Amino acid sequence: MNVVNPATGETVETYETDDEADVVTALDHAESTFESWRKRPQRDREELLVSAAEILRERQSEYAELITREMGKPITQAESEIEKCAWVCEHYAEYASTYLEDEYHPSPAGTEVKTSYEPLGPIFAVMPWNFPFWQVFRFAAPNLVAGNVGLLKHASSVPGCALAIEEVFRDAGFPENAFQTLLVSSDLVEDVIDDDRVKATTLTGSGPAGSAVAAASGERIKKSVLELGGSDPFVVLDDADLETTIEKGVRARNQNSGQSCIAAKRFIVHDDVYDEFVSGLVEGAASLTVGDPTDPETDVGPQASAELLAELHDQVERSVAAGATVETGGEPLDRDGAFYPPTVLTDVPDDSPAARDELFGPVAAVFRVDDESEAMARANDTRFGLGGSVWTTDRERGERLAHEIEAGCVYVNRVVGSDPRVPFGGVGVSGFGRELSEAGIKEFVNRKTIWVQ
């Protein structure tokens, strides 16, 4: 696997891939490790997660630089990603026992009936490049502390991150094979799913990849969780606090250089505040610093590869050809690296890519609506259903409309995020199942009913 720095276009590292024999060996190790790991006291597993959090903080700069080198994330955002991984480890270290506590049920006199939450075994995770540490840790922390073991097939562009994550768990004191990285191509994914030792699968990534993993898992009667793409609505009502809403809107679209499933992508704005909001959004987007991701002053780094930049620009060009107006940005920067500027599109036609597809980069599509009814219709005019947000000074109005948006999570007056304390996941083509919180740790356990007469 060749690692290409997207800020320079240069190959910076090469990794030798695993072959089929390596995969078989890893599965053997996973199966044998699970038999002992599942018997470890819950508190022992929790203490090891605390150790993992400590290692992440000790090596925050090292791992942040690795993220930036492999996929181009601005360095301050990469540092925040490592901190968030430490947080999710600490969260499950504190709450796993509560989440997995036996649940007792009404039963006849003299009997005891309960549900016990027991681990399944080796869980296979297929993960993407855009949050190369966080999206792995939000899978790994709850599953390891629940007594499962993990096998990771990471994106081929971030093999260094994949191996570093394995290193964190090993150095924290987890059994050597409790969490293993497989440096394999996508061609071997179905073979891993097909193996009887793998008990469940999870994927964060594109719709086609999710469909393939779900189909392979379903054919083998294996549980799967999918977190796929999104085209999140950012609904701005006529009574919104525009100064705050514009500031948050600029961040919601351009964080991680726009490469986030839960980024705000479709800005749906009430006519009464449309002109002022668009003016502020354009000004804010144009003021962001695009450049060297290792510079702490950089707001927007490169797209993760030249190929991804080309795909994004093609979507913009086709949207403009269909009738959209470019208010700022809209052309790749004339410099080395895969740099695309923050872009704002207005007058976006309903049948254009900016309205129908997921634009995975710093491109905001803005739509004008006359009232909240039209805003809700526009918000739900998508096959995606990951997240959304509503911006209003009337909290009751915001909550009422949050119930109308068809998505896995809706935030009122806050940018959509994934937080260890609350369930995260989507509906429709954005996937199924939940990660994080109590719901996430219970996705891959045997909910065993035990009746004692």
Side-chain angles (χ1 to χ4, degrees):
M1 291 182 181
N2 294 320
V3 175
V4 176
N5 185 332
T8 64
E10 298 176 350
T11 299
V12 294
E13 193 71 66
T14 299
Y15 293 83
E16 191 167 328
T17 57
D18 294 325
D19 58 23
E20 293 183 29
D22 295 322
V23 171
V24 171
T25 299
L27 289 166
D28 286 340
H29 288 158
E31 183 179 46
S32 60
T33 300
F34 172 65
E35 291 308 315
S36 57
W37 178 242
R38 68 184 304 179
K39 298 172 185 175
R40 287 281 289 273
Q42 182 71 49
R43 190 61 200 147
D44 284 0
R45 297 197 293 258
E46 292 165 351
E47 288 173 352
L48 290 174
L49 274 187
V50 173
S51 296
E54 291 171 350
I55 288 173
L56 285 163
R57 290 201 174 96
E58 289 168 2
R59 303 174 187 174
Q60 183 178 34
S61 295
E62 174 190 346
Y63 291 151
E65 290 169 5
L66 176 60
I67 292 172
T68 298
R69 184 167 61 253
E70 291 200 326
M71 57 73 59
K73 190 188 300 288
I75 189 65
T76 56
Q77 296 176 34
E79 291 168 348
S80 296
E81 181 173 340
I82 299 301
E83 173 59 33
K84 194 171 184 180
C85 293
W87 179 25
V88 78
C89 289
E90 290 173 337
H91 176 83
Y92 280 107
E94 182 175 0
Y95 292 104
S97 294
T98 300
Y99 290 154
L100 298 174
E101 190 174 15
D102 288 347
E103 181 181 356
Y104 288 84
H105 307 287
S107 61
T111 66
E112 182 179 270
V113 182
K114 65 181 180 180
T115 298
S116 182
Y117 300 97
E118 301 180 0
L120 294 180
I123 312 298
F124 180 46
V126 181
M127 292 291 149
W129 47 264
N130 56 328
F131 289 88
F133 269 69
W134 167 244
Q135 285 163 319
V136 176
F137 270 89
R138 75 183 186 192
F139 147 73
N143 278 286
L144 289 173
V145 80
N148 293 314
V149 297
L151 296 155
L152 169 66
K153 184 269 184 269
H154 216 326
S156 59
S157 58
V158 290
C161 291
L163 293 171
I165 294 167
E166 183 181 75
E167 172 186 78
V168 170
F169 289 119
R170 183 175 61 249
D171 291 355
F174 284 79
E176 184 175 359
N177 297 303
F179 185 91
Q180 299 177 80
T181 283
L182 305 176
L183 293 185
V184 297
S185 69
S186 297
D187 295 342
L188 289 179
V189 166
E190 189 165 349
D191 290 344
V192 177
I193 297 173
D194 191 44
D195 194 285
D196 289 340
R197 289 166 290 193
V198 170
K199 302 305 179 186
T201 63
T202 181
L203 175 141
T204 298
S206 69
S211 295
V213 167
S217 302
E219 184 177 343
R220 295 155 181 84
I221 322 297
K222 295 183 180 182
K223 177 74 179 290
S224 61
V225 168
L226 303 179
E227 192 267 280
L228 308 178
S231 186
D232 288 8
F234 185 103
V235 179
V236 183
L237 298 177
D238 52 328
D239 63 347
D241 174 351
L242 282 188
E243 182 178 356
T244 298
T245 303
I246 290 168
E247 176 190 347
K248 299 297 185 182
V250 172
R251 171 174 169 262
R253 175 59 280 198
N254 295 289
Q255 188 177 27
N256 201 37
S257 307
Q259 300 166 122
S260 171
C261 296
I262 51 173
K265 298 188 175 82
R266 295 176 299 129
F267 290 78
I268 299 165
V269 186
H270 194 286
D271 181 66
D272 289 355
V273 296
Y274 179 87
D275 291 338
E276 185 177 353
F277 178 84
V278 170
S279 176
L281 185 68
V282 169
E283 182 180 354
S287 71
L288 295 175
T289 299
V290 183
D292 180 0
T294 66
D295 185 342
E297 299 301 315
T298 293
D299 300 305
V300 177
Q303 300 302 281
S305 71
E307 292 76 17
L308 290 166
L309 181 145
E311 180 180 344
L312 176 67
H313 187 50
D314 176 67
Q315 291 174 307
V316 171
E317 287 189 310
R318 287 189 286 123
S319 297
V320 171
T325 300
V326 177
E327 302 290 348
T328 187
E331 290 287 342
L333 297 184
D334 185 16
R335 57 182 295 178
D336 290 338
F339 290 93
Y340 204 85
T343 297
V344 177
L345 303 178
T346 58
D347 307 316
V348 178
D350 289 345
D351 59 351
S352 67
R356 311 310 304 175
D357 302 331
E358 179 179 29
L359 270 61
F360 212 64
V363 180
V366 188
F367 303 84
R368 186 196 300 261
V369 293
D370 291 331
D371 52 38
E372 65 178 46
S373 176
E374 185 181 354
M376 293 298 98
R378 171 69 69 178
N380 292 326
D381 185 20
T382 177
R383 65 187 188 280
F384 297 102
L386 191 54
S389 61
V390 179
W391 299 82
T392 172
T393 53
D394 184 338
R395 287 163 54 98
E396 291 184 2
R397 184 188 190 192
E399 183 175 356
R400 172 172 55 83
L401 295 179
H403 285 287
E404 294 187 25
I405 294 178
E406 297 166 3
C409 56
V410 181
Y411 286 66
V412 178
N413 297 326
R414 183 171 177 175
V415 174
V416 177
S418 57
D419 183 310
R421 298 167 294 186
V422 295
F424 178 78
V427 296
V429 300
S430 290
F432 50 73
R434 291 294 179 265
E435 296 180 291
L436 301 175
S437 189
E438 181 175 358
I441 200 171
K442 287 182 174 177
E443 284 287 4
F444 296 130
V445 294
N446 177 12
R447 302 173 183 233
K448 181 185 289 183
T449 296
I450 298 177
W451 185 301
V452 180
Q453 188 76 29

